[in-house]
Amino acid sequence: MNTPELDLVLERALDLTVPDRLRLIETVAASIHDQIRSSATLTGDEGESWGQHVIDLVNQLDMSAWENLNIEDSSEWVTNLRSRIEGERRVNWSDQP
C-alpha cells in the first residue's frame, strides 16, 4: 500500500547518487534484518523449527498417568467411559453428530 510519504521518500531516493542509493539500500536491509532477528528472539526462534519446539514440548509432558492405564482395547475403554459419563450427566452420545 503506497502512502504519500512513501512516494515522496522514493522520489527523493531516486534523486540520490548511485553510491548514496547503495548506502540507503544497505541501511534499510540492515534495519529489516535487525527487526526480523529481534522478533525471532522474542518468539524463542533461534534456528530451530517450530516443529522441533512442538516435539520438545510434547517430550516435557508427564504421560505417566496414560502409560499406567493398562488399556488393552481402547474402543472398549472409550465405550465404558462414555457409558459412565452418560450415567453421571445423563448425556446421550448417540444423539451427537
Side-chain angles (χ1 to χ4, degrees), residues 66-80:
W66 288 95
E67 293 167 356
N68 295 330
L69 284 176
N70 296 326
I71 299 171
E72 292 182 22
D73 184 1
S74 58
S75 61
E76 183 179 334
W77 178 77
V78 170
T79 303
N80 292 337

Side-chain angles (χ1 to χ4, degrees), residues 21-50:
R21 280 189 271 169
L22 287 173
R23 191 170 133 216
L24 175 65
I25 290 170
E26 290 173 352
T27 304
V28 171
S31 170
I32 292 170
H33 178 265
D34 292 343
Q35 187 173 3
I36 290 171
R37 190 175 199 186
S38 67
S39 68
T41 302
L42 291 175
T43 60
D45 184 14
E46 297 177 4
E48 290 186 23
S49 68
W50 64 269

Side-chain angles (χ1 to χ4, degrees), residues 1-96:
M1 180 164 94
N2 286 340
T3 62
E5 296 84 12
L6 178 60
D7 292 337
L8 181 62
V9 168
L10 291 174
E11 184 179 323
R12 289 187 179 173
L14 293 175
D15 289 337
L16 295 172
T17 64
V18 171
D20 287 342
R21 280 189 271 169
L22 287 173
R23 191 170 133 216
L24 175 65
I25 290 170
E26 290 173 352
T27 304
V28 171
S31 170
I32 292 170
H33 178 265
D34 292 343
Q35 187 173 3
I36 290 171
R37 190 175 199 186
S38 67
S39 68
T41 302
L42 291 175
T43 60
D45 184 14
E46 297 177 4
E48 290 186 23
S49 68
W50 64 269
Q52 185 62 50
H53 287 289
V54 171
I55 290 171
D56 293 342
L57 177 64
V58 169
N59 287 335
Q60 292 175 6
L61 296 175
D62 179 14
M63 302 299 284
S64 60
W66 288 95
E67 293 167 356
N68 295 330
L69 284 176
N70 296 326
I71 299 171
E72 292 182 22
D73 184 1
S74 58
S75 61
E76 183 179 334
W77 178 77
V78 170
T79 303
N80 292 337
L81 180 64
R82 285 184 169 181
S83 296
R84 194 188 83 214
I85 292 173
E86 186 177 322
E88 291 173 0
R89 299 184 183 169
R90 297 185 182 149
V91 174
N92 187 351
W93 293 103
S94 61
D95 290 345
Q96 301 296 323

